[in-house]
Amino acid sequence: MLNYKVIFNIVGFLLILDGIAMMLGIPFSIYYGDDDILVLLLSGVGTSLIGFILYYLTKSSNKDIRKREGYIVVSLGWLAMTIFGAIPFVIYGAIPSYTDAFFETMSGFTTTGASILNNIESIPHGLLFWRSLTQWLGGMGFIVLSLAILPILGIGGMQLFIAEVPGPTKDKIHPRVRETAKRLWGIYVILTVAEIILLFVGGMGFFDSICHSFTTMATGGFSTKQSSIAYYTSPFIQYVIVLFMFLAGANFSLHYYWLHRKIKPVTQNEEFRFYFYLIVGFTLLIFFGRVFDSTIGVELTFRESLFQTVSMITTTGFVSADYEMWGVFFHVIFFLLLFIGGSAGSTGGGIKVVRHLILIKNSALELRRLIHPRAVIPVRYNKSTVSQDIVLNIMAFLLFYIAIFVFGSLVMSFIGLDFLTSMGAVATSLGNVGPAIETVGPVDNFAHIPDIGKWFLSFLMLMGRLELFTVLIIFSPAFWKK
Amino acid sequence: MLNYKVIFNIVGFLLILDGIAMMLGIPFSIYYGDDDILVLLLSGVGTSLIGFILYYLTKSSNKDIRKREGYIVVSLGWLAMTIFGAIPFVIYGAIPSYTDAFFETMSGFTTTGASILNNIESIPHGLLFWRSLTQWLGGMGFIVLSLAILPILGIGGMQLFIAEVPGPTKDKIHPRVRETAKRLWGIYVILTVAEIILLFVGGMGFFDSICHSFTTMATGGFSTKQSSIAYYTSPFIQYVIVLFMFLAGANFSLHYYWLHRKIKPVTQNEEFRFYFYLIVGFTLLIFFGRVFDSTIGVELTFRESLFQTVSMITTTGFVSADYEMWGVFFHVIFFLLLFIGGSAGSTGGGIKVVRHLILIKNSALELRRLIHPRAVIPVRYNKSTVSQDIVLNIMAFLLFYIAIFVFGSLVMSFIGLDFLTSMGAVATSLGNVGPAIETVGPVDNFAHIPDIGKWFLSFLMLMGRLELFTVLIIFSPAFWKK
C-alpha cells in the first residue's frame, strides 16, 4: 500500500513554495509600475493557501518515503507546480489559453525553454520574472533530483555518480538529500550571482541580468527578449553567457571541487573531458564549415558557432543566430545536437554525455567480445569497472528514449505537422532544449502547434526532465502490483 | 596469422560461380534476339577464368577456417562478386558509369533493390536476367550465412536461432554449413518455382515471372518494369507476390517445418507471431487511415495498403502504389517500416523482428528490475531464457545500427542531399529495402545521387546485409592484434 498521505503532504509543501515564488517578482512590477501586481498576489496567495490546506490535511506521523512513493512524489510534484504555476499568465491575460500557459510553464519548470509567446517584451516584469524563476527553480530541483534522489531510485545509470557527490552515506534518503541539497544549491546560487554581476557589468539591465542568469544556470533558455540573446550584440555579454551555459551543463559536484581548489578531479573526470571535447569538436566543425563563405568576419562566425553549439549541447536553447540559415548540413548537425544533453548531475536535460560515453565504450568492447568470446571485458569509467547491470540500464534508457522519440514523431505528424517539424519538436521537448528545426526553429516558436500537440509535448518535457523511468515506471503494471 | 590462402581460395571459387551465373541469361537473349550475348559470354568467361586462376594459385592442404577467416571471407566474397558482377552492365553500355553499375550490382547481391536505372524496359533480357539473379543468389547466400555461419561467428544474437535449425551439431562449420545449406536451398528453390508457376498462371510472361520470383524470394525488389509491380494491375498477381514476400520474410527454418506438416513450431514461434501481427497491424493502420477518403474502392485501398506494408516490412521494396501521395503521416509510417527488417533466418535485411521483440521484452522487464532491484529477471524467448550476453549483444547491434544511420545521414546531407532524402537513402540502404522517401521515394530512383554518395550507400548495403558486425569487426584494431 502506497503511503498517499506523505505523497500529498510533500506536494502540498511544494505548492506553498510555488505560491510564494510567484510573488517574488512583485517588487519589479512595483518599480516599473506594471499592472500585474494584483494577479501575482492573488495567484500566489491562492496557490500557497491550497498547498497549505493539502499539507495540513495530510499531516501524519508516518513520514516513510520508500522508492515507490519517491517516483510518484517527483512526478506529481513537478506536475502540480506546473498546473498552478500557469495560473497567473491566464488570469492576467498574457497567455489567454490555459493550454498555452501550461505549455509555457511546463517548459519553464522542466528547463526546456520552448515558448508560445509572440511578443515577450509586452509582458509585465513581475510575470516575466516568474517565467524565468520557474526555470531556475526547475534547475535547482533537478540538481538535487539527479545527484541525490535518482541514484537511490536506481534510474538510468545515475548510480555511477554517487561516488562523485561529496556527501554523507547513501543509506537513507532524508539526510543525504538535505546535505547534498545544501552544498549544491550553494554552488548554484554562487554561480547565478556571479553571472548576474558579469552581465550587469557588461551593460545588460539589472532585471534582464537576473532573468537571463536564472535561465542560463538552469540551462533553460527563456529570454526576456523575443529575439533571445541575438538582442544583445555585445561580444562580452555573449561570451559570459557561453561560459555560464558551459558551467551549468557540467556536473555540479565537479564545481564543488574546483571551488575548493581541487582541479584534478575535474580534469580527470571522463565525462567532463568528453563534454569539453564535444563542444570543441562541434564548434570547430561548424566554424570551419562556415568561415570560408562567411561575410560577417572570423570572430563573429566563431562566436555564433560557439554560442549555438554550447547552447544546444547544454540543452539551454538560447539563440544568438539563426542556424537554419546556414544550410541543410547544419540542420542535420543541430538536430543531432538535440540528442546529446549536457552532463549528468548538471541542470541539462536529454540523454546526457556520460550515457553516450558508456555506450560508445561498450560498443567498442562488444567487437572485442566477439573476437574473444570467452574473455570477460567490462566497461571502465573513471578508473572503476561499470557493472553489466548499469550498462544494460543505460542501454534500456537509450532505447526507451529512441522509442519515445519515434512514437512522439508519429503522433505529431498524425496531428498534421510536417515530418521534420514533428521530429524536431519531439526531440527538443524530450531533450529539454527549446528550439529545434523547420517551423519550430531558432527564430520560430510553438504557438502554431495544435492544442493536443502542446499537451503531448508538455508531457514529453516532463518525461525527459525526469529521466524517463521516473514517469514510465508509474505506468508499468508491476508498479501497482502488490 | 590469418590463413590468407584459404580466404582467396574461397573467393576464387565464388568468382568461378559468379562468372557462370552471368551466362545463365544467354538463352533468353538468344530467344528474344537481343545483342548482349557476346558481352555476357565474355564477362562470364573472363570472371570465371580470373576466379579459376585465383583458386588454382591458392590451393593448399591447410583448409582451416577459423572465425577470423570467416569474417573476411564473407565480406570479401560479397565484395568480389559485386566488383565483377558489375562488369557486363558497363561493357554493354546499359549502365555506362562503373559507379552506377557497382551500385546496381551491390543493390542486387545485398537484395536491397535500390536502382539507378531510368529505363529498365530498354535493357536486353540476358542482362535483366543477370540483374534479377544477383538478388536470388544474394538471398541464397544470406540464408546460409544467417542460419549456419553467423550463429557460429556469434553475431548479433543470431545464436538464438541455432536451436531452430533442424540440422546436425554445431561444433564444426563445414559439415553443418553443408547440411543446413542443402535443406534450406531446397526450400528456397521450391518456393521460387511455386511462385514462378503461380505468376505465369496469373498472366505474367514467363521471363518476367522468373525474374520477379527471383527477386521476391530474395526480398530484393528489382523489377523488370520501370513502374515495378504497379505495372501489373491483376489482383491475383499482386496477392501472389504479397504471399511470397511474406514467406520470404519469415524464418526459412520454419518453412522446413510446415513443409513437413508440423504446424505447431511455426504458430508457436514468437518471432513469427510478432512478424505476422506487425504486418496485420500496420496494414490495418494504413488501410483505415486511407479508406474513408479513398476514391479507388475498398479492395484496392486494402490491397495497396497490404502490398506496400508487406513489401517494406520484409525489406523487398516492390512498389504497387506511390505511398508518398498518401500524406505526411504515411511518410513517417513508411520511413519507420524501413527499420523493421523481416525475420531472422529469412532473406530480409535490416534490424530483424526478433531483435525488436527481445528489446521490447527487455525494456518492459527493465522497469520491473527497477522496482525489484534484487530480483534476477531474465528475458524469455520461445520458452527459454535468453542470456544477458545475448541481450547485450542485440542492444549493441541496435546502437551500432542507429549510430551508422545517424552518421550516414550526416554524410549524405554533407554531400548536398536534403535532410529527409539523406535519412531515407541511408535507412533503405542499411536495411536492404530499396525505396525510401522524398527524392528517393517509391517512384524515384537513385540516379541523381552524387557518385561519392553511391559508393557510400553501396558500402552501407553491404554492411547492412552482413549484419554490421561482420564488417565492423574487420575495422576494429582488436581483430588485427596478435
mmCIF file of all heavy atoms in Angstrom, chain B residues 418-435:
data_model
loop_
_atom_site.group_PDB
_atom_site.id
_atom_site.type_symbol
_atom_site.label_atom_id
_atom_site.label_comp_id
_atom_site.label_asym_id
_atom_site.label_seq_id
_atom_site.Cartn_x
_atom_site.Cartn_y
_atom_site.Cartn_z
ATOM 1 N N ASP B 418 18.991 16.742 -49.370
ATOM 2 C CA ASP B 418 18.175 17.321 -48.305
ATOM 3 C C ASP B 418 18.047 16.324 -47.161
ATOM 4 O O ASP B 418 18.359 15.141 -47.296
ATOM 5 C CB ASP B 418 16.810 17.753 -48.844
ATOM 6 C CG ASP B 418 15.908 16.590 -49.135
ATOM 7 O OD1 ASP B 418 15.287 16.059 -48.202
ATOM 8 O OD2 ASP B 418 15.826 16.194 -50.314
ATOM 9 N N PHE B 419 17.585 16.825 -46.018
ATOM 10 C CA PHE B 419 17.577 16.085 -44.761
ATOM 11 C C PHE B 419 16.807 14.764 -44.885
ATOM 12 O O PHE B 419 17.322 13.675 -44.569
ATOM 13 C CB PHE B 419 16.945 16.978 -43.682
ATOM 14 C CG PHE B 419 17.215 16.567 -42.272
ATOM 15 C CD1 PHE B 419 16.930 17.449 -41.230
ATOM 16 C CD2 PHE B 419 17.757 15.337 -41.949
ATOM 17 C CE1 PHE B 419 17.159 17.114 -39.908
ATOM 18 C CE2 PHE B 419 18.000 14.986 -40.625
ATOM 19 C CZ PHE B 419 17.691 15.879 -39.615
ATOM 20 N N LEU B 420 15.566 14.837 -45.381
ATOM 21 C CA LEU B 420 14.737 13.624 -45.430
ATOM 22 C C LEU B 420 15.264 12.623 -46.452
ATOM 23 O O LEU B 420 15.251 11.412 -46.203
ATOM 24 C CB LEU B 420 13.278 13.983 -45.726
ATOM 25 C CG LEU B 420 12.550 14.703 -44.589
ATOM 26 C CD1 LEU B 420 11.140 15.090 -45.017
ATOM 27 C CD2 LEU B 420 12.498 13.840 -43.334
ATOM 28 N N THR B 421 15.733 13.112 -47.592
ATOM 29 C CA THR B 421 16.326 12.206 -48.574
ATOM 30 C C THR B 421 17.545 11.516 -47.991
ATOM 31 O O THR B 421 17.738 10.307 -48.167
ATOM 32 C CB THR B 421 16.718 12.972 -49.851
ATOM 33 O OG1 THR B 421 15.549 13.551 -50.432
ATOM 34 C CG2 THR B 421 17.378 12.049 -50.862
ATOM 35 N N SER B 422 18.369 12.287 -47.283
ATOM 36 C CA SER B 422 19.555 11.711 -46.659
ATOM 37 C C SER B 422 19.177 10.572 -45.724
ATOM 38 O O SER B 422 19.714 9.464 -45.802
ATOM 39 C CB SER B 422 20.308 12.774 -45.846
ATOM 40 O OG SER B 422 20.755 13.802 -46.676
ATOM 41 N N MET B 423 18.235 10.852 -44.832
ATOM 42 C CA MET B 423 17.827 9.835 -43.866
ATOM 43 C C MET B 423 17.213 8.635 -44.572
ATOM 44 O O MET B 423 17.481 7.482 -44.231
ATOM 45 C CB MET B 423 16.823 10.417 -42.872
ATOM 46 C CG MET B 423 17.421 11.449 -41.940
ATOM 47 S SD MET B 423 16.435 11.664 -40.438
ATOM 48 C CE MET B 423 14.849 12.048 -41.143
ATOM 49 N N GLY B 424 16.362 8.924 -45.560
ATOM 50 C CA GLY B 424 15.688 7.844 -46.280
ATOM 51 C C GLY B 424 16.665 6.962 -47.036
ATOM 52 O O GLY B 424 16.597 5.732 -46.964
ATOM 53 N N ALA B 425 17.586 7.590 -47.760
ATOM 54 C CA ALA B 425 18.544 6.826 -48.562
ATOM 55 C C ALA B 425 19.410 5.940 -47.680
ATOM 56 O O ALA B 425 19.670 4.778 -48.002
ATOM 57 C CB ALA B 425 19.424 7.773 -49.379
ATOM 58 N N VAL B 426 19.837 6.481 -46.554
ATOM 59 C CA VAL B 426 20.679 5.702 -45.645
ATOM 60 C C VAL B 426 19.874 4.565 -45.016
ATOM 61 O O VAL B 426 20.322 3.420 -44.967
ATOM 62 C CB VAL B 426 21.287 6.615 -44.557
ATOM 63 C CG1 VAL B 426 21.939 5.792 -43.465
ATOM 64 C CG2 VAL B 426 22.297 7.552 -45.183
ATOM 65 N N ALA B 427 18.665 4.863 -44.548
ATOM 66 C CA ALA B 427 17.854 3.838 -43.891
ATOM 67 C C ALA B 427 17.529 2.698 -44.844
ATOM 68 O O ALA B 427 17.582 1.524 -44.484
ATOM 69 C CB ALA B 427 16.570 4.452 -43.340
ATOM 70 N N THR B 428 17.202 3.032 -46.078
ATOM 71 C CA THR B 428 16.791 1.997 -47.026
ATOM 72 C C THR B 428 17.999 1.191 -47.497
ATOM 73 O O THR B 428 17.881 -0.003 -47.767
ATOM 74 C CB THR B 428 16.004 2.623 -48.201
ATOM 75 O OG1 THR B 428 15.144 1.634 -48.758
ATOM 76 C CG2 THR B 428 16.928 3.187 -49.274
ATOM 77 N N SER B 429 19.173 1.804 -47.556
ATOM 78 C CA SER B 429 20.383 1.069 -47.940
ATOM 79 C C SER B 429 20.827 0.144 -46.815
ATOM 80 O O SER B 429 21.076 -1.038 -47.028
ATOM 81 C CB SER B 429 21.518 2.031 -48.281
ATOM 82 O OG SER B 429 21.169 2.863 -49.355
ATOM 83 N N LEU B 430 20.899 0.696 -45.634
ATOM 84 C CA LEU B 430 21.338 -0.093 -44.482
ATOM 85 C C LEU B 430 20.368 -1.241 -44.204
ATOM 86 O O LEU B 430 20.766 -2.327 -43.794
ATOM 87 C CB LEU B 430 21.429 0.838 -43.265
ATOM 88 C CG LEU B 430 22.257 0.412 -42.072
ATOM 89 C CD1 LEU B 430 23.679 0.079 -42.472
ATOM 90 C CD2 LEU B 430 22.255 1.526 -41.023
ATOM 91 N N GLY B 431 19.072 -0.987 -44.438
ATOM 92 C CA GLY B 431 18.054 -2.006 -44.184
ATOM 93 C C GLY B 431 17.809 -2.912 -45.377
ATOM 94 O O GLY B 431 16.951 -3.789 -45.309
ATOM 95 N N ASN B 432 18.537 -2.694 -46.476
ATOM 96 C CA ASN B 432 18.371 -3.508 -47.685
ATOM 97 C C ASN B 432 16.933 -3.529 -48.184
ATOM 98 O O ASN B 432 16.420 -4.578 -48.578
ATOM 99 C CB ASN B 432 18.852 -4.947 -47.451
ATOM 100 C CG ASN B 432 20.323 -5.038 -47.082
ATOM 101 O OD1 ASN B 432 20.690 -5.725 -46.141
ATOM 102 N ND2 ASN B 432 21.169 -4.317 -47.806
ATOM 103 N N VAL B 433 16.292 -2.371 -48.160
ATOM 104 C CA VAL B 433 14.890 -2.314 -48.560
ATOM 105 C C VAL B 433 14.758 -1.952 -50.035
ATOM 106 O O VAL B 433 14.329 -2.759 -50.843
ATOM 107 C CB VAL B 433 14.094 -1.313 -47.700
ATOM 108 C CG1 VAL B 433 12.630 -1.334 -48.088
ATOM 109 C CG2 VAL B 433 14.245 -1.655 -46.224
ATOM 110 N N GLY B 434 15.148 -0.718 -50.404
ATOM 111 C CA GLY B 434 15.059 -0.302 -51.801
ATOM 112 C C GLY B 434 14.538 1.105 -51.928
ATOM 113 O O GLY B 434 15.310 2.050 -52.039
ATOM 114 N N PRO B 435 13.226 1.311 -51.905
ATOM 115 C CA PRO B 435 12.716 2.674 -51.972
ATOM 116 C C PRO B 435 12.717 3.323 -50.584
ATOM 117 O O PRO B 435 12.825 2.641 -49.575
ATOM 118 C CB PRO B 435 11.280 2.492 -52.464
ATOM 119 C CG PRO B 435 10.893 1.138 -52.005
ATOM 120 C CD PRO B 435 12.147 0.309 -51.932
#
